[in-house]
Amino acid sequence: RGRRQICAVRSGNGDIPAAAKEPPLFAGLEGDCGDLRNRVFFMVAPIDVGLEFECDVPTGTPIVLSHAGFFATVGVDGETDEELQAAVEAGFTFTSNSLTLDGRPLPLKTIDAGAFDVNPEPGSFYDVVFGLTGPVRSALRGNIVVLHPLSPGDHVIEAEVTFTGTSGAFSATYHVHVG
């Protein structure tokens, strides 16, 4: 099995500490590859380079994957919703960004979630990385892909992104077993 990861979004303030890659951040996941919720399989996103995941997805199940994202947080990246949005727009820049399914490129759609409140739990990313609890105002820009149910059998999803500046590179190979 691959290393367990939770999130590929990066803040503009630097590296993600090693503690953010360890439990309890993964307490909500049922498997190394993601989580089946409401008949949709949500794949985890890479927060490192060269990750490998083994994914068992039930037949007829759509897959949601966001392999690249950038978030901004009040008190870290700005103080107003406008400053947070400007931070994610400036931060979501990259020198390479791709996602393939069985060797075929998938179209990437960039979405802006706008500013929203997050209610982090103890041990969550916001708690471990930033020491923030209670309602936290954030903004997010990223790629999200929704795959219609794949045919039964084995599939490979390759994901990679290299952000400009100091935001890093992330990549993963998902070995998807549908059936």
Side-chain angles (χ1 to χ4, degrees), residues 49 52 54 65 83 85 87 91 100 102 116 128 137 151:
V49 174
E52 299 262 337
E54 296 291 328
L65 172 61
E83 289 174 344
Q85 186 61 36
T100 65
D102 296 332
F116 56 96
V128 173
R137 195 80 173 152
S151 60

Side-chain angles (χ1 to χ4, degrees), residues 10-36:
R10 296 216 26 125
S11 174
N13 75 336
D15 289 337
I16 297 172
K21 299 178 185 178
E22 301 300 329
L25 288 177
F26 311 112
L29 294 179
E30 294 175 358
D32 289 345
C33 184
D35 197 4
L36 182 63

Side-chain angles (χ1 to χ4, degrees), residues 3 5 8 44-53 67 96 98-99 157-163 168-174:
R3 288 183 17 209
Q5 304 294 321
V44 297
I47 61 170
D48 209 343
V49 174
L51 299 174
E52 299 262 337
F53 296 102
H67 77 289
S96 66
S98 67
L99 190 66
I157 297 172
E158 296 278 353
E160 71 80 26
V161 62
T162 300
F163 289 100
F170 307 92
S171 64
T173 300
Y174 302 83

Side-chain angles (χ1 to χ4, degrees), residues 34-101:
D35 197 4
L36 182 63
R37 299 207 178 182
N38 297 320
R39 296 180 297 228
V40 175
F41 194 87
F42 293 88
M43 287 187 161
V44 297
I47 61 170
D48 209 343
V49 174
L51 299 174
E52 299 262 337
F53 296 102
E54 296 291 328
C55 312
D56 295 313
V57 177
T59 300
T61 303
I63 296 171
V64 175
L65 172 61
S66 178
H67 77 289
F70 194 94
F71 70 92
T73 303
V74 162
V76 178
D77 303 297
E79 297 303 322
T80 67
D81 288 358
E82 293 76 19
E83 289 174 344
L84 295 178
Q85 186 61 36
V88 297
E89 289 172 9
F92 192 67
T93 58
F94 38 81
T95 57
S96 66
N97 184 9
S98 67
L99 190 66
T100 65
L101 170 62

